[in-house]
Amino acid sequence: MTETLRNRPSGTMNGGRALAEMLGLAGAGPMFGMGGFQLLPFYDAIGGVGLTHHLINDERCGAFAADAYARVTNRPGICDGTLGPGATNLLTGLVESLNGGIPIIAITGNTNRSHSWKNMTQECRQVEILRPAVKEVMRVEMISRIPELVRRAFAVATSGRPGPVLLDVPEDVCHGVHDFAAEDFEIDEATLKAPARRARPDAAEIERAAKLIAKAKRPLLLVGGGIHLSEAWQALTRLAESQAIPVAHTMTGKGGIGCANPLSVGLFGRYSRIANDMIDASDCLLVVGCKLGEIATKRFSLPPAHIPVIQLDIVAEEIGRSVPAAVSLWGDARAGLEDLAEALSDSNRTARANRADYIAEVAPRLRQWEAEAAPRLNSSDRPVHMARLCRELNKTLPADAILVADGGFAGHWTGLLYDTKQAGRQFIPDRGLASIGYGLPGGIGACLAAPDRPVVAISGDGGFNMTLGELESARRIKCGLTVIVVNNAASGYVKALQHAMMGGRYQSADLNEMDYAAIARTMGCGGIRVEDPEALASALQQGMEERDRPTVVDVVVTRDPAQMLPAVDNRTVQIKQGDRVA
Ligand SMILES: Cc1ncc(C[n+]2csc(CCOP(=O)(O)OP(=O)(O)O)c2C)c(N)n1
Ligand SMILES: [Mg+2]
C-alpha cells in the first residue's frame, strides 16, 4: 500500500476533485494540457492532491509530451483537452501512442448533458472523432463511477499491448457533486506501470522454438519497441550472449541491447549498416516485440521467405501478419525471452562454440561499414553533414542521455547512426505515426520523466516550426532541454524525393531561411547557431550544462536535395513511380 492509498478521501466532493484524487492515488506524473470551462473543478483540485500540471500551448504537444514521459517511465502519461478543439487537437498525439503501444490517459471535457446537441459553443462529435485514436473510450456518465473508471483506465492503458485511453467527462459530471466513501478510492498498483501483468508463451511452443534455435547456425534476433515496453533488456542481453545470437533492431527497438554491445548489428529495414546483410544470410530469425511493418521490412521485401521466423509478441493476432511465423510465441517479451534462455540453457556452451566463427564476422563487417562511412562521419563540410552531426552526438552524449528524434531526417539519420551506450529506451523516435513536430514537446516530456539526465531533442526546421510555441512551455517549466534544429531551410524529405523522383521540380518544399538560435534567445532560452562542424561538440555540451532553461542549437546543414537522404546517393539513383527507397 502506498502512503496515498492510506489517505483516501471521503465525503461530498465534485467530480473534478474525485478525478484528481484518483490520479493522486495512482501517483500520476506531470500532466499536460490547456484548460477550459468544463474541467475547471479538476484543475482546481490538482494542486491540493500534490499533482503537477503544465499548461501546454497546443494539446497535440501535450499528448506528445505525455507519450515521451510514458516511454521513459512506462507509467501512463497524462494529458487533457477541453471541449471541442482541445479534444480534436489531441488526435495526432493519441494515434502516435496507439500505434506505438504507449500507455496514456487522456481526459477531455465535454458538454453539459442538459444542453448537449443544441449547438453548444465548441461542441463537436469528439468521442466519435477520438474513438479510433485510442485503445478504449470511457465516457463518464455518473459522478459516482469516476473512481471505478479511472481504475479501469489505468488497467486498460498498461495491460496487454499498452495504449491510450480516453476519459471523456461531461461538464455536469465534473462540476456536480457526490458523497464518496473512503473505500471508493482504490487502485490496483500492478496497473500503474506497463506491463501490468506478464503472460508466458505456451511451454510447448517454447520447446519448438528452442529446437529451431538450437539447430540454427546463423540465428539472428530482430527486436522492436516491445522490448522497452516489457523492460526485457537484461533478458534479451542474456539470451543473446549465452547463445551467441547477434541482435538487430528497429528504430524504436534501439537500446534493446546496448549499441556498444559486440552482438549489436544495428538498425535493420529501410536503413541498415550490416543488419540487412545479416538477415539475408541468416537461417533462423527470432522476432521480438516488433510489428515487422513497412520500414522494418523495407516495404515488405524483408526477410527472405525461406528463413524460418519465430515471432514473440504480446498481441496474438500480430503474429504472422506480414511474415508467416514458423513458431508463434504469444506472451510478454521478457517472460518469453527468459523461457527461451531457460529452455536452451543446457546448450549454451556448445552454441557459443559452434557459432564462434559466425559471431567473429560481426566486428570486421562493422569496421568495414565504418571505414566506408568514415568520409561522411568525419566530414568537415560546411554546411554541416548530417553524418558528422550524428558522430558528434555519439561522442558528446553521456551514457545516460536520452535522445528524442523527430519525424523528418532528424529521425532517419539518428536512427541509422546514433549509438546508445547502454541498454534501455534512450533513443525515442515517434515511429508510431511518424508525425513531424514531436521533437520539442517529446523532449519536454522526457526531461520531466528524467530530470537528472541530459535530454537532447533533434528536430527538422519544419517540425520545429510546427511546435515552436512549446519553447515558451519549456522555458516556463524550466526544462534543461537541448533542442537541435536540423536547419536545411526545407521540408527536406519532400524536397529530396522531388529531386529524385520528379526531376527536380520542387513544389511547396522550401522554407524561409531562419535563425532559430536568435528566436530562442528572444524567447528567453539559450540559442547557439552552428555552421562549423568543429563547433558542434561545445554547443551540445553547453546546451546540456544548462539545467533550468532550454537551449536551441541551430545546425545549418546541406541545402542540396541531392545529399539529404541517408540510404541512397540520390545524385545517381533512379527511382521509378511507386518505388519507395526512403
Ligand atoms: C504532420 C506531418 N506532416 C507531414 C509529414 C510528411 N513529412 C515527413 S518528413 C517531412 C519533412 C519535414 O521537414 P523538416 O521537419 O524540416 O525535416 P527535414 O526532412 O527537412 O529534415 C514531411 C513533410 C509528416 N511526417 N508529418
Ligand atoms: Mg527541414
Side-chain angles (χ1 to χ4, degrees):
M1 285 272 154
T2 62
E3 194 59 30
T4 35
L5 267 172
R6 282 198 296 276
N7 292 327
R8 293 179 299 183
S10 63
T12 303
M13 67 183 86
N14 62 42
R17 163 94 187 277
L19 188 54
E21 291 285 359
M22 274 305 287
L23 292 172
L25 200 62
M31 305 185 284
F32 308 91
M34 184 187 282
F37 178 71
Q38 291 71 23
L39 293 181
L40 277 182
F42 169 60
Y43 272 50
D44 192 43
I46 283 169
V49 297
L51 292 168
T52 316
H53 187 283
H54 298 294
L55 167 61
I56 202 95
N57 288 303
D58 177 333
E59 294 83 354
R60 169 186 46 167
C61 293
F64 282 157
D67 179 276
Y69 172 88
R71 286 183 203 233
V72 175
T73 61
N74 272 351
R75 297 171 74 87
I78 315 236
C79 55
D80 59 81
T82 193
L83 166 66
T88 55
N89 273 352
L90 288 171
L91 185 72
T92 302
L94 292 177
V95 179
E96 171 60 38
S97 305
L98 182 72
N99 291 1
I102 307 302
I104 296 288
I105 295 176
I107 302 163
T108 47
N110 208 332
T111 46
N112 188 314
R113 287 169 302 169
S114 315
H115 303 296
S116 297
W117 312 124
K118 297 192 301 191
N119 295 321
M120 299 279 282
T121 179
Q122 298 182 202
E123 183 172 40
C124 72
R125 295 266 174 199
Q126 66 187 47
V127 168
E128 287 90 329
I129 290 168
L130 293 176
R131 190 178 302 278
V134 295
K135 192 172 168 185
E136 195 166 320
V137 169
M138 289 170 203
R139 164 86 171 171
V140 187
E141 298 284 0
M142 293 171 79
I143 308 171
S144 59
R145 292 189 63 187
I146 287 174
E148 172 206 336
L149 292 175
V150 174
R151 217 164 23 244
R152 172 104 187 111
F154 273 88
V156 173
T158 59
S159 302
R161 182 168 202 264
V165 176
L166 176 67
L167 278 168
D168 186 69
V169 188
E171 173 199 309
D172 50 303
V173 168
C174 193
H175 289 244
V177 294
H178 175 76
D179 193 11
F180 287 94
E183 305 78 70
D184 292 334
F185 293 91
E186 62 174 57
I187 196 149
D188 178 350
E189 287 198 64
T191 64
L192 301 183
K193 186 168 183 280
R197 318 189 199 284
R198 294 184 191 272
R200 306 204 92 87
D202 184 287
E205 294 301 299
I206 288 282
E207 281 308 319
R208 285 186 58 218
K211 284 207 179 88
L212 213 53
I213 295 168
K215 72 168 203 238
K217 293 190 172 63
R218 304 179 64 89
L220 183 65
L221 276 147
L222 303 180
V223 306
I227 288 289
H228 301 305
L229 289 164
S230 165
E231 303 190 342
W233 312 294
Q234 278 184 332
L236 174 66
T237 309
R238 193 182 136 215
L239 178 68
E241 288 178 348
S242 61
Q243 280 285 312
I245 308 179
V247 183
H249 58 76
T250 63
M251 284 173 73
T252 307
K254 193 192 283 286
I257 189 169
C259 295
N261 187 304
L263 287 171
S264 174
V265 298
L267 186 69
F268 72 94
R270 179 170 65 180
Y271 301 125
S272 154
R273 302 181 192 182
I274 64 166
N276 287 359
D277 293 341
M278 300 281 296
I279 291 177
D280 281 339
S282 170
D283 58 356
C284 177
L285 297 167
L286 175 49
V287 177
V288 186
C290 172
K291 292 179 289 187
L292 289 179
E294 176 184 0
I295 304 296
T297 59
K298 269 184 102 175
R299 200 166 254 213
F300 311 105
S301 63
L302 281 177
H306 67 272
I307 306 173
V309 168
I310 300 164
Q311 191 171 358
L312 167 57
D313 204 280
I314 191 67
V315 183
E317 61 270 32
E318 273 305 318
I319 299 173
R321 189 205 277 267
S322 53
V323 176
V327 183
S328 306
L329 301 177
W330 175 30
D332 172 71
R334 192 180 91 187
L337 288 166
E338 284 168 354
D339 288 356
L340 276 175
E342 185 57 38
L344 287 161
S345 58
D346 289 344
S347 71
N348 283 347
R349 201 181 286 257
T350 358
R352 285 202 299 270
N354 291 345
R355 294 181 191 138
D357 289 349
Y358 170 46
I359 291 304
E361 285 173 24
V362 172
R365 283 179 112 159
L366 278 172
R367 273 200 302 276
Q368 191 194 336
W369 169 83
E370 206 163 329
E372 281 160 18
R376 282 166 282 154
L377 292 166
N378 301 323
S379 162
S380 47
D381 281 5
R382 292 173 67 150
V384 174
H385 198 292
M386 279 302 287
R388 175 69 188 269
L389 172 57
C390 294
R391 197 194 74 151
E392 295 298 326
L393 284 167
N394 285 340
K395 283 208 306 200
T396 316
L397 266 51
D400 63 343
I402 297 171
L403 180 65
V404 179
D406 202 73
F409 282 133
H412 302 181
W413 282 89
T414 51
L416 179 64
L417 298 179
Y418 179 66
D419 289 327
T420 62
K421 288 154 188 97
Q422 60 197 29
R425 199 194 293 254
Q426 284 167 245
F427 176 65
I428 303 185
D430 59 322
R431 298 311 301 179
L433 193 58
S435 174
I436 60 168
Y438 182 92
L440 170 57
I444 295 175
C447 259
L448 290 168
D452 300 327
R453 292 163 60 184
V455 176
V456 177
I458 181 165
S459 169
D461 41 5
F464 190 65
N465 287 338
M466 216 175 220
T467 52
L468 177 56
E470 301 311 339
L471 258 194
E472 187 281 328
S473 312
R475 172 86 176 92
R476 173 168 31 84
I477 298 169
K478 297 189 171 33
C479 279
L481 168 70
T482 304
V483 187
I484 299 170
V485 178
V486 175
N487 187 335
N488 55 12
S491 198
Y493 178 68
V494 176
K495 193 166 184 178
L497 291 183
Q498 289 174 343
H499 171 88
M501 302 183 70
M502 305 297 164
R505 293 184 302 279
Y506 303 118
Q507 175 62 55
S508 307
D510 285 318
L511 291 169
N512 211 30
E513 286 288 348
M514 304 277 268
D515 182 338
Y516 293 98
I519 292 169
R521 289 194 297 272
T522 306
M523 292 174 80
C525 308
I528 308 168
R529 181 140 165 124
V530 178
E531 299 183 27
D532 177 357
E534 298 302 325
L536 278 169
S538 71
L540 292 172
Q541 209 68 53
Q542 207 177 315
M544 288 189 288
E545 275 159 22
E546 284 267 13
R547 297 312 298 156
D548 62 359
R549 66 168 190 167
T551 302
V552 170
V553 178
D554 184 29
V555 183
V556 180
V557 302
T558 185
R559 269 113 181 92
D560 177 0
Q563 294 191 36
M564 289 179 177
L565 294 172
V568 292
D569 180 347
N570 65 356
R571 279 163 297 192
T572 51
V573 75
Q574 293 283 314
I575 305 173
K576 297 190 296 295
Q577 204 79 33
D579 279 358
R580 187 85 199 255
V581 294

